[in-house]
Amino acid sequence: MLQDALLFDGAGRPVAGQGRTYSRDWDEVQDFCRKVYMPYKVRPTGRLLQPDATMRQAAVARVTVTRFSYGVPIHLSEFDPGAGNILVLNTLRGSLRHLCEGPNDAVTRAGDSFVVDCSRTDYWLDGDENHMQLNLTIPHDVVAEVAHRWFDFVPDDRLWTKRLAFGGYGSRWQYLLSYVVQAVDPVRGRVRSDALARHLEEMLCLELLETWAAGAGVSLKDGARAAAPYYVREAEEIMAREARDPPAIGAIAVRVGVSARTLSEGFQRFRGISPRSFLRARRLEGFRTALERAQPGETVTTIATDWGYVNFGALAVAYRERFGERPSQTLARTMAKV
């Protein structure tokens, strides 16, 4: 199903690689890995081994998809948590051995997948000489954002620290990956349209969340949200209600009866994001709603100004990253219905 991923598109046309797609130079291979995954330590498990690496990548909105192999047996460790990335390692051939919970490691073979949030837990893996991977690098904040949008909360570390093997041939995840890679433009190395790319990003994150939560024993429908302390829930209500003219984070902390530091730590622990990031998301959502309810004569500038935005360039970038289109496109669609 995925054997030709990032080699050929759905019509059988060769996919052009970005930069070098093969290498036998350790420095070149590691430079690729630092950019598409994160800094980490690699050690070949043999003497005087040189890589015979496959290095292909494509972009699906904020998700980086890679077809990758070192071409030699390796041990990887010391993944940099500061990069803030989740890895989903999907094995095409060969096998990987992963650090996992309990006394036994997890082994994934062709058709199997493994997810680990390297920003929240430690991790290592061994790959045999035949390993070939179709990997996803997803920023933690992107998955947290999808969780909040769909389930109205961000899971705590019971989810993010769970290292999980999943998938297998015939699984929904395998079919979804196949659909995603076939949407990659064979020349541009990315999904053809921004709107489709954001839709596929959402599908990948949502399917991953549901599978991951089931494996971690975390409920996405109830329980986890209630586990957050009262001051986090009250702060969320204030920020959602007053997003148009928001108070300072320190002022919100005073209103809910805690220090700004306690509020920040509560959000990070129970929502996986900062209070400022939560507020920024609510403001973007409110701005979008205002565009969707605009009346004739209103412009993006007047609506943005009414919402207190002054840097329209930065707003446009953040809006497009969040919703997959420019504010003017949202407004144009609204005006077409009037």
Side-chain angles (χ1 to χ4, degrees), residues 85-89 99 114-119 121-123 160 162-164 212:
N85 287 333
I86 292 168
L87 294 181
V88 188
L89 302 109
L99 171 64
F114 191 90
V115 59
V116 56
D117 186 344
C118 294
S119 73
T121 189
D122 58 338
Y123 176 59
W160 308 122
K162 176 69 175 179
R163 312 177 197 95
L164 180 70
W212 200 353

Side-chain angles (χ1 to χ4, degrees), residues 265-309:
E265 291 175 346
F267 265 83
Q268 290 290 356
R269 179 180 179 186
F270 292 95
R271 299 298 185 246
I273 57 176
S274 68
R276 196 172 304 280
S277 294
F278 180 91
L279 178 58
R280 188 181 300 116
R282 301 293 79 72
R283 281 179 53 74
L284 282 173
E285 290 168 1
F287 175 56
R288 181 176 177 83
T289 298
L291 291 172
E292 293 172 335
R293 297 176 178 175
Q295 299 299 311
E298 291 187 285
T299 67
V300 171
T301 299
T302 60
I303 296 171
T305 301
D306 192 44
W307 271 80
Y309 289 105

Side-chain angles (χ1 to χ4, degrees), residues 193-229:
S193 75
D194 290 340
L196 178 58
R198 291 306 301 266
H199 177 64
L200 294 177
E201 174 192 276
E202 191 99 347
M203 291 175 66
L204 286 168
C205 291
L206 187 58
E207 180 66 27
L208 180 64
L209 274 167
E210 293 192 333
T211 300
W212 200 353
V218 172
S219 172
L220 294 175
K221 295 182 179 179
D222 51 35
R225 178 171 174 79

Side-chain angles (χ1 to χ4, degrees), residues 89-104:
L89 302 109
N90 309 285
T91 302
L92 301 179
R93 70 166 185 259
S95 66
L96 300 183
R97 181 180 298 276
H98 312 261
L99 171 64
C100 205
E101 279 73 28
N104 300 317

Side-chain angles (χ1 to χ4, degrees), residues 5-7 15-37 40 50-58 64-72 92-93 131-135 189:
L6 300 190
L7 297 178
V15 175
Q18 300 178 15
R20 291 289 300 275
T21 57
Y22 299 96
S23 178
R24 297 186 63 84
D25 181 87
W26 278 115
D27 289 338
E28 193 170 57
V29 175
Q30 279 306 95
D31 183 62
F32 173 85
C33 292
R34 281 192 295 268
K35 291 177 180 176
V36 302
Y37 304 127
Y40 59 84
Q50 294 300 311
D52 185 15
T54 296
M55 307 180 302
R56 288 177 171 268
Q57 64 176 302
T64 301
V65 184
T66 50
R67 183 185 182 95
F68 181 76
S69 170
Y70 279 100
V72 294
L92 301 179
R93 70 166 185 259
H131 71 273
M132 179 65 73
Q133 299 296 125
L134 183 71
N135 298 327

Side-chain angles (χ1 to χ4, degrees), residues 257-269:
V258 298
S259 68
R261 180 176 179 178
T262 297
L263 183 63
S264 179
E265 291 175 346
F267 265 83
Q268 290 290 356
R269 179 180 179 186

